[in-house]
């Protein structure tokens, strides 16, 4: 796997150091600001910690299994083999983040066993969508990044990229949550169109297909982007960053209450919930690094 191949949508880090970077957006951080500016502040400016969740940890484990599955010879990419990889993937994640061991209650053994079983079920459902023994992906867990002409850095991690013999590119993302209803499909595709824009700006070619694979429902959402909508998305991202810069300058990140508030960790600091945000950091620097797991907020 070539994790820094400029021909597949990456500006090497050494080149980034020579560019005048004015800002940085990933799909998740862009979605945060669009959903709730105050949530963006808590995550990207204040860098407040958030409690891990069983669902997010399960998504990380399933993604790790599906990534490593393609390291095996084709004949060994079976449902049984994939399911056997779940517990080692969990052990590896737990070594990296021991705090995840606190996810389960007093009856930890039983709860963990049930949780591992749900992860194995999701891995098994993947095989209802495609047969990994029939192909080899071109890239897995690939960082894609580009800098627009105004200095805005766009970057994110692509779960998988497939390149057909005729050169056409398919971008694939695994989702361990439920497939969205039709009215919410555009929001679900935002992340994939973001990747398509980065790839187009770095290679000159628009991916032929974007595919979201919803393992829980054994369902797929596919889309073929075109130049007009990617140009529109680029304008939207520039405008979004301008709004973020203004919010930073004025220190004004307003909450946007919605049903999504039920899943937010920051009620005690949110004015919409009767809380008070912490003092705005005197010196703040928005990170240009990306946590791969943070790029899976909807998993």
């Amino acid at each position: 796997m070539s994790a820094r191949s400029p021909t597949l949508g990456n500006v090497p880090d050494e080149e980034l150091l020579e560019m005048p970077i004015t800002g940085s957006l990933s799909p998740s951080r862009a979605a945060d600001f669009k959903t709730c500016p105050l949530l963006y502040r808590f995550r990207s400016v204040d860098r407040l910690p958030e409690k891990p969740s069983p669902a997010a940890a399960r998504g990380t484990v399933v993604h790790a299994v599906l990534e490593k599955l393609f390291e095996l010879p084709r004949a060994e990419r079976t449902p049984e083999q994939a399911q056997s990889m779940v517990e080692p993937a969990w052990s590896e994640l737990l070594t990296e983040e021991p705090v995840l061991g606190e996810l389960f209650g007093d009856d930890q053994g039983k709860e963990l066993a049930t949780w591992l079983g749900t992860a194995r079920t999701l891995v098994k459902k993947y095989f209802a969508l495609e047969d990994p023994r029939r192909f080899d992906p071109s890239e897995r867990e690939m960082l894609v990044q580009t800098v627009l002409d105004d200095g805005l850095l766009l970057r994110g991690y692509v779960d998988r990229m497939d390149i057909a013999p005729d050169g056409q590119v398919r971008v694939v993302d695994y989702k361990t949550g439920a497939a969205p209803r039709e009215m919410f499909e555009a929001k679900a595709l935002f992340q994939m169109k973001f990747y398509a824009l980065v790839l187009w700006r770095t290679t000159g070619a628009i991916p032929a297909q974007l595919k979201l694979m919803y393992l829980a429902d054994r369902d797929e959402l596919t889309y073929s982007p075109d130049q007009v909508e990617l140009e529109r998305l680029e304008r939207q991202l520039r405008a979004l960053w301008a709004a973020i810069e203004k919010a930073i300058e004025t220190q004004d990140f307003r909450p946007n209450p919605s049903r999504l508030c039920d899943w937010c960790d920051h009620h005690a600091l949110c004015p919409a919930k009767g809380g008070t945000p912490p003092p705005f950091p005197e010196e703040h620097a928005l990170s240009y690094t990306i946590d791969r797991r943070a790029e899976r907020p909807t998993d």
Side-chain angles (χ1 to χ4, degrees), residues 54-290:
R58 181 171 53 233
T60 301
V61 167
V62 171
H63 276 78
V65 169
L66 296 181
E67 179 189 2
K68 293 178 180 179
L69 182 67
F70 286 100
E71 296 176 0
L72 301 176
R74 288 192 182 190
E76 296 180 21
R77 300 172 192 169
T78 64
E80 295 75 19
Q81 178 63 39
Q83 290 179 92
S84 74
M85 297 165 67
V86 167
E87 193 159 354
W90 163 243
S91 296
E92 184 176 337
L93 178 61
L94 191 58
T95 299
E96 294 175 0
E97 300 185 47
V99 68
L100 294 179
E102 302 174 6
L103 285 174
F104 306 101
D106 295 335
D107 193 4
Q108 188 174 40
K110 184 177 180 179
E111 289 188 16
L112 177 58
T114 300
W115 181 86
L116 288 170
T118 62
R120 283 190 286 267
T121 296
L122 287 169
V123 168
K124 183 179 180 180
K125 286 183 175 182
Y126 159 75
F127 288 83
L129 296 173
E130 65 183 6
D131 185 351
R133 293 169 293 189
R134 300 182 60 183
F135 68 98
D136 294 306
S138 298
E139 301 286 342
R140 291 166 287 128
E141 284 291 329
M142 183 181 72
L143 171 65
V144 295
Q145 54 188 358
T146 192
V147 180
L148 302 182
D149 55 17
D150 62 355
L152 179 59
L153 170 65
L154 305 179
R155 51 169 34 183
Y157 277 96
V158 171
D159 284 348
R160 199 181 85 207
M161 185 179 296
D162 306 328
I163 300 181
D166 63 0
Q168 288 195 323
V169 172
R170 175 173 66 186
V171 180
V172 178
D173 196 71
Y174 308 119
K175 296 296 183 185
T176 51
R181 288 178 291 174
E182 186 174 354
M183 68 179 66
F184 297 111
E185 287 183 356
K187 184 177 181 180
L189 282 168
F190 170 78
Q191 174 186 9
M192 304 301 284
K193 292 180 181 179
F194 186 106
Y195 296 148
L197 171 61
V198 173
L199 291 167
W200 175 44
R201 285 306 186 198
T202 52
T203 69
I206 296 175
Q209 186 183 80
L210 310 176
K211 176 184 282 190
L212 288 162
M213 303 180 71
Y214 290 93
L215 307 184
D217 296 331
R218 291 178 288 190
D219 197 5
E220 296 178 342
L221 175 58
T222 59
Y223 189 79
S224 296
D226 60 39
Q227 181 173 330
V228 172
E229 64 181 323
L230 293 186
E231 289 174 340
R232 182 167 59 248
L233 174 62
E234 184 174 314
R235 291 193 297 270
Q236 291 171 350
L237 292 175
R238 292 178 194 269
L240 184 67
W241 181 251
I244 292 173
E245 285 187 310
K246 182 177 180 180
I248 293 172
E249 180 182 352
T250 60
Q251 300 184 8
D252 184 11
F253 289 84
R254 300 185 181 184
N256 181 29
S258 72
R259 287 181 296 176
L260 296 176
C261 293
D262 293 341
W263 289 274
C264 183
D265 284 343
H266 308 298
H267 289 180
L269 301 173
C270 179
K273 297 292 183 179
T276 301
F280 200 85
E282 292 185 7
E283 294 185 5
H284 59 273
L286 300 181
S287 174
Y288 294 162
T289 62
I290 294 180

Side-chain angles (χ1 to χ4, degrees), residues 10-72:
N10 285 308
V11 178
D13 287 340
E14 57 270 19
E15 291 185 22
L16 288 177
L17 295 175
E18 301 175 2
M19 296 180 176
I21 307 298
T22 60
S24 176
L25 280 176
S26 68
S28 289
R29 296 294 77 84
D32 283 348
F33 193 84
K34 290 170 64 178
T35 299
C36 176
L38 185 58
L39 176 62
Y40 176 94
R41 179 199 151 170
F42 287 156
R43 287 177 168 171
S44 298
V45 180
D46 297 299
R47 311 282 179 82
L48 299 180
E50 296 183 344
K51 294 180 293 186
S53 72
R58 181 171 53 233
T60 301
V61 167
V62 171
H63 276 78
V65 169
L66 296 181
E67 179 189 2
K68 293 178 180 179
L69 182 67
F70 286 100
E71 296 176 0
L72 301 176

